[in-house]
Amino acid sequence: LTKRKGKWEQIENSGRKGNAECKQTEQELLESEKRYRMLFTNMSDGFGLVEAIYDNEGKPYDFCYLEVNPAFESSLGVKREEMLGRTMLEVFPNINPIAIEKYREVSLSGKPIHFEIFSRISHKYLDIYAFSPEKGKLALILRDITERKQMEKELQESEKKYRNIIETASEGIWIGDSEGRTIYVNKKLAKMMEYTQDELIGKFAWDSVEEERKPIVKKNIEKRHKGIDESYEFKLIRKDGSPLWTIVSSRSLFDSEGRFTGSISMLTDITQRIEAEAKLK
């Protein structure tokens, strides 16, 4: 009886220990779920989980919403309650067909896809990353990039405006990289040099000067590295070998971190003046 009693006590203790471990595991899972739910709810990117709906041929034609976070609601401008349990085409009959086609691709191939699109639903530009966490389901991550797209558009318009100003300028304009290699010339400078614009791109600043003057140009480029800007008269050689006297006004270019990126120069043709002075002498 003593042995039997001891055995039952051992089983009882083991059971209590097992229950304690089970409760601890359950508590850890609850805490883990709580942390992930908090992350899911507060993440700045929209996150949605959908399930593919297949036709008789096994091809996905629509997707049912299983879960979405607040940022997803905000991105599309529709409440969570209006999406869950319903399909994309039910909630958004005017959804961009490109988006549906991309989601079908992921469902069939299992490969993630990343694309940008204009949403007809929220009238916003969205950056979308879609992947399949398991067969038949898609995870969608949405990011509102409307502000970025607007800035890009404004920058393009600004660039176009200033490019027009530069291209129609009455002075020659040259832009070079940190090594003195030509990355841009306007039409006026190309005409002054009797080259096409494309012919001058890639040439070094000293390629169109007399041999004995090349060290002077290289020294001027070194000054630009130090942020020393200056104006001076300088003779270039045109494509046909004739001299082109200019007044060169150069400025150093630096990036936001203070690193030298190149220089820009404005060139004024003074050849007629120099030749007239020479005749007078």
Side-chain angles (χ1 to χ4, degrees):
L1 286 172
T2 304
K3 287 181 180 179
R4 194 177 296 169
K5 185 179 178 182
K7 188 174 181 181
W8 279 111
E9 286 177 352
Q10 188 178 1
I11 292 171
E12 238 176 69
N13 290 335
S14 177
R16 281 195 294 269
K17 184 180 179 183
N19 287 336
E21 288 177 352
C22 185
K23 286 182 180 179
Q24 184 179 351
T25 303
E26 185 180 348
Q27 184 62 32
E28 288 173 355
L29 284 171
L30 288 171
E31 290 294 329
S32 177
E33 183 183 349
K34 185 179 178 181
R35 285 196 298 271
Y36 283 114
R37 171 61 61 176
M38 189 181 298
L39 175 63
F40 177 78
T41 303
N42 293 289
M43 63 190 295
S44 58
D45 290 339
F47 185 93
L49 183 66
V50 299
E51 186 171 18
I53 300 173
Y54 299 89
D55 60 20
N56 294 331
E57 296 178 359
K59 295 180 180 179
Y61 68 92
D62 203 351
F63 300 87
C64 180
Y65 288 103
L66 301 179
E67 185 58 279
V68 298
N69 71 344
F72 196 96
E73 295 177 87
S74 177
S75 294
L76 298 181
V78 179
K79 292 294 182 182
R80 176 174 177 270
E81 295 75 18
E82 298 175 32
M83 288 186 275
L84 297 190
R86 301 178 68 193
T87 71
M88 285 186 184
L89 294 178
E90 282 179 330
V91 183
F92 309 115
N94 63 335
I95 189 172
N96 194 319
I98 295 174
I100 289 287
E101 188 56 38
K102 296 288 186 184
Y103 300 152
R104 286 172 182 162
E105 286 180 28
V106 179
S107 295
L108 292 171
S109 68
K111 296 179 180 178
I113 197 166
H114 181 222
F115 62 99
E116 293 180 2
I117 200 168
F118 179 75
S119 171
R120 299 173 181 176
I121 301 161
S122 59
H123 302 289
K124 297 177 182 178
Y125 285 97
L126 298 176
D127 179 282
I128 302 176
Y129 180 73
F131 65 95
S132 179
E134 60 180 275
K135 186 171 178 57
K137 292 183 180 178
L138 287 187
L140 311 176
I141 299 176
L142 312 183
R143 178 173 295 175
D144 184 355
I145 56 169
T146 306
E147 188 176 346
R148 192 197 82 193
K149 283 291 185 180
Q150 185 62 35
M151 288 178 65
E152 287 176 358
K153 184 180 178 181
E154 290 173 0
L155 283 170
Q156 287 171 357
E157 290 176 352
S158 177
E159 182 183 353
K160 183 179 178 181
K161 180 177 71 175
Y162 286 108
R163 182 172 286 275
N164 286 337
I165 292 172
I166 290 174
E167 283 296 319
T168 57
S170 59
E171 307 295 324
I173 296 173
W174 175 88
I175 301 176
D177 63 15
S178 59
E179 297 178 356
R181 187 183 291 104
T182 303
I183 57 177
Y184 173 79
V185 295
N186 69 345
K187 290 179 181 178
K188 178 65 176 180
L189 182 58
K191 186 177 180 180
M192 287 163 58
M193 295 291 294
E194 298 180 349
Y195 284 94
T196 65
Q197 288 173 284
D198 289 340
E199 285 177 322
L200 290 171
I201 301 300
K203 286 180 173 289
F204 284 96
W206 51 83
D207 285 342
S208 297
V209 302
E210 296 169 323
E211 194 65 34
E212 62 271 17
R213 289 176 177 264
K214 289 185 179 182
I216 299 173
V217 179
K218 292 178 182 179
K219 188 175 181 180
N220 287 338
I221 296 294
E222 290 176 7
K223 289 181 180 179
R224 300 295 92 74
H225 277 264
K226 298 175 183 177
I228 301 173
D229 301 329
E230 55 188 350
S231 297
Y232 50 86
E233 290 186 4
F234 201 79
K235 184 173 78 170
L236 302 171
I237 304 299
R238 292 188 175 101
K239 188 176 183 179
D240 64 0
S242 61
L244 172 67
W245 282 95
T246 63
I247 293 178
V248 181
S249 299
S250 297
R251 294 291 180 272
S252 304
L253 301 174
F254 297 90
D255 63 17
S256 58
E257 296 179 359
R259 290 175 297 198
F260 177 72
T261 59
S263 54
I264 181 170
S265 298
M266 183 171 288
L267 296 89
T268 304
D269 184 355
I270 58 169
T271 305
Q272 289 185 349
R273 194 199 79 191
I274 294 295
E275 290 176 348
E277 289 175 355
K279 286 178 182 179
L280 285 172
K281 288 181 182 179

